Every structure is written in C-alpha cells, then in structure tokens.
C-alpha cells in the first residue's frame, strides 16, 4: 500500500469512528509496534555487534562493536567455512519452504470449498471443526503428534495391525512427524487468508466458465487463483516465517539429525550464555527469511500491498 493509500485509509477510519477511537486505536497499534517489535529488534541488532562480556564490563572500554559473531557463522575458527551452521540454516529455510507448499496444497481446496462449496450451518460447522482443535496448547499438540507417530504409537499400531508394514517405522527419525506437526500447526494461517480472498469472487464467473466447457483445473488456474493470489501470498508469508522460526515442534518432534536453526539460537542464548552470538544468528535468520519472501514476491509478481489487504 502506498503512503497516499495509508493516509486515505486512516482518514476513512477517523471519519467513520470519530477522533477519539481513531487516536486510541492508532496509538495502541503504534505503541505495540514500537515497544514489542521495533525496539527489541534494534536491541538484538545492536547486541549482535558486541563482545560477550561479563555484566560488570558492559558499557566499559572493552564494550566495542565487532563482526566476530557474524564471522563465527561463516567461519569455523580454523580458517575454513562453517558448513555445519550454514547447512542447518539452509535446511531450515528449505524445510520452511516445503511446509509452506504442503500447507498451500492442503488449504487451497479447503478454503475454496468453505467459500463456494458450503453455506449456512454447514459452513459454520466446518469453521468450528477447523478452529476447535487449535484451542489445545501448541506444546500439547506437538506431544500428541509424537504419540501418534512414535514407534509404539497409533500410526504404527494401525499399520502393523493391517499388515501395511512388517516392523515399526521410526517416523520421528525420518522427520515425518516434524513436517506433519508443522504443517498442521499453521493450517489456519493459510486457510483464512485464501478464504477471505476467494470469498470475494463472483460465483457467476465460475458458472460461466463451466457452462463454456472449461475443465475444473482451467477454472481455478484462470479465474480463481488470480483472485486468490493476495490471500495465497499472505498465508504463505506467515506460514514460511513462523515455520522457519519454530522452536517447540523441532525440539519435540525432530529426529537426531534434524537440527533447526532456531535450536542453535536457543543454545547460544540459554545453554551457551552468549547473547551477542545468539543475536547475530537471530538477525541472520530474520534477514534470510525476508530475502526469501521478497524473492518469492518478485517471482510470483505479488506486491507488498496485496499481502497487507
């Protein structure tokens, strides 16, 4: 959205709700953004350029800026490249892309059916069926997935009972449980943006295309998806960012070889006690996610204003 568009939106909001409500809402949003987003990010960015000093030396003559925390991510200390940490970062980004694509493939049909395939009580029942399971805490859902996909879990019990496989399958070690858990966790963040976009589509356009003999895939490709593209972009952005920054699910559902980059950040902050190094790793993850998102927006020709609708 352009600055002029933002001004018009604020003007309409103030005109509709009055100056009192307008000032309260605007001030609350500004306070939220500054205190909980901007200032913490600036503090973390500044800390990433500091040495890991004892509290008594912070602010003293040794408290200088340095690039050593970022160099530690690139170099292993022996003159070589730190392939371990860089590999974890790359795998995390690729895994987040995979989960985002999987969520899109699952959620697009659900959002379309919810918008144009149901109405009245059935639509409300479907929405409740989607929302109610998420009343359960994320940690409990992750442990539930571990029980389902464990060696002696429900899935293995059913598979062995039906003779689908001869021995228990280790879904945890193969990261099946991790990807399933992450995909499920962010379903709603993909469904509702697409639903909001598709709901605005005139059903007569779909009916006209069907009457003219267009197959279902062409109707979606030429009519529905162009309308749903802002919702798809918004949902994909949220799912990708949150998946790349997930910690609980990788800790609980991840196998021995599925180290997540957020786990490295957690280790530097808490186990290593090196907040500057952890801050540098967090900044790198944030910048990597932003670059991937901007690249995807450029490839699919989506503007930032469309995502914010």
């Amino acid at each position: 959205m352009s600055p002029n568009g933002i001004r018009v939106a604020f003007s309409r909001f103030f005109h509709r709700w009055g100056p009192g409500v307008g000032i309260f809402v605007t001030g609350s949003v500004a306070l939220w953004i500054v205190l909980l987003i901007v200032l913490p990010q600036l503090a973390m960015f500044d800390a990433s350029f500091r040495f890991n000093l004892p509290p008594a030396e912070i602010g003293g003559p040794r408290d200088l800026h340095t690039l050593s925390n970022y160099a530690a991510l690139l170099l292993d200390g022996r003159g070589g490249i730190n392939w371990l940490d860089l590999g974890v970062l790359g795998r995390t980004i690729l895994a987040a892309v995979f989960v985002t694509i999987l969520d899109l493939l699952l959620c697009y049909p659900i959002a379309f059916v919810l918008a144009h395939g149901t109405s009245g009580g059935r639509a409300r029942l479907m929405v409740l069926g989607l929302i109610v399971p998420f009343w359960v805490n994320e940690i409990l859902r992750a442990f539930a997935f571990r029980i389902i996909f464990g060696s002696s879990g429900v899935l293995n019990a059913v598979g062995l009972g039906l003779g689908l496989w001869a021995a228990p399958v280790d879904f945890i070690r193969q990261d099946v449980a991790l990807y399933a858990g992450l995909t499920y966790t962010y379903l709603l963040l993909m469904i509702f943006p697409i639903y909001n976009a598709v709901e605005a589509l005139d059903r007569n356009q779909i009916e006209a295309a069907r009457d003219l003999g267009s197959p279902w895939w062409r109707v979606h490709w030429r009519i529905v998806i162009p309308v749903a593209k802002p919702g798809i972009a918004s949902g994909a952005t949220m799912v990708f960012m949150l998946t790349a920054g997930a910690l609980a699910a990788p800790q609980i559902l991840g196998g021995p070889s599925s180290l997540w980059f957020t786990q490295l950040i957690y280790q530097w902050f808490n186990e290593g006690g090196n907040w500057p190094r952890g801050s540098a790793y967090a900044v790198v993850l944030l910048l990597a996610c932003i670059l991937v998102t901007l690249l995807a927006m450029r490839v699919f020709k989506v503007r930032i204003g469309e995502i914010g609708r």
Side-chain angles (χ1 to χ4, degrees):
M1 183 179 293
S2 64
N4 186 52
I6 295 175
R7 286 194 297 270
V8 171
F10 272 104
S11 176
R12 290 177 178 175
F13 183 84
F14 273 74
H15 179 74
R16 179 176 181 180
W17 298 103
V21 175
I23 293 173
F24 173 77
V25 172
T26 305
S28 300
V29 172
L31 193 66
W32 175 280
I33 293 175
V34 172
L35 291 182
L36 298 181
I37 298 177
V38 176
L39 292 181
Q41 295 293 337
L42 290 177
M44 185 178 66
F45 185 72
D46 178 69
S48 68
F49 292 99
R50 301 286 184 175
F51 289 102
N52 187 32
L53 300 174
E57 297 185 21
I58 295 178
R62 295 184 57 197
D63 191 8
L64 304 174
H65 289 88
T66 177
L67 293 174
S68 59
N69 297 309
Y70 292 94
L73 175 62
L74 300 175
L75 305 175
D76 59 5
R78 298 186 298 271
I81 297 177
N82 187 0
W83 293 114
L84 178 61
D85 290 355
L86 291 175
V88 173
L89 175 61
R91 287 198 305 271
T92 300
I93 296 297
L94 290 177
V97 171
F98 175 76
V99 171
T100 302
I101 294 174
L102 191 57
D103 258 335
L104 176 59
L105 295 177
L106 290 173
C107 296
Y108 174 80
I110 297 174
F112 179 79
V113 170
L114 188 62
H116 291 282
T118 59
S119 60
R122 287 186 300 174
R124 290 191 291 270
L125 197 62
M126 190 172 178
V127 171
L128 281 176
L130 291 170
I131 293 177
V132 169
F134 287 88
W135 290 357
V136 179
N137 183 272
E138 180 183 357
I139 306 297
L140 296 180
R141 290 202 306 268
F143 277 109
F145 269 86
R146 191 172 183 89
I147 294 172
I148 293 172
F149 287 94
S151 298
S152 58
V154 177
L155 192 58
N156 267 309
V158 173
L160 293 172
L162 297 177
L164 299 178
W165 47 81
V169 179
D170 194 347
F171 293 107
I172 303 295
R173 185 177 292 273
Q174 296 177 7
D175 293 333
V176 176
L178 175 59
Y179 290 123
L182 288 171
T183 300
Y184 178 78
T185 298
Y186 304 118
L187 277 177
L188 295 184
L189 296 179
M190 183 70 78
I191 290 176
F192 287 117
I194 299 176
Y195 166 77
N196 289 332
V198 174
E199 189 185 28
L201 177 64
D202 187 357
R203 297 189 183 189
N204 293 326
Q205 298 183 38
I206 300 176
E207 295 298 330
R210 288 175 176 173
D211 292 341
L212 292 173
S214 293
W216 66 268
W217 64 267
R218 187 180 292 274
V219 171
H220 284 273
W221 183 256
R222 299 294 297 273
I223 297 176
V224 181
I225 291 181
V227 174
K229 190 166 66 169
I232 293 174
S234 178
T237 300
M238 289 188 290
V239 171
F240 172 76
M241 287 288 193
L242 291 175
T243 302
L247 179 62
Q251 289 274 56
I252 298 171
L253 299 174
S257 61
S258 63
L259 188 63
W260 219 253
F261 197 72
T262 49
Q263 292 174 281
L264 291 180
I265 298 173
Y266 177 85
Q267 290 171 5
W268 281 118
F269 271 112
N270 294 278
E271 298 175 11
N274 193 333
W275 284 52
R277 185 70 53 84
S279 298
Y281 276 46
V283 169
V284 169
L285 178 61
L286 176 63
L287 293 178
C289 290
I290 292 175
L291 288 175
V292 172
T293 302
L294 293 177
L295 178 62
M297 290 170 55
R298 186 175 182 85
V299 170
F300 293 103
K301 298 179 180 179
V302 178
R303 293 176 297 178
I304 188 68
E306 294 177 325
I307 295 178
R309 288 178 184 176

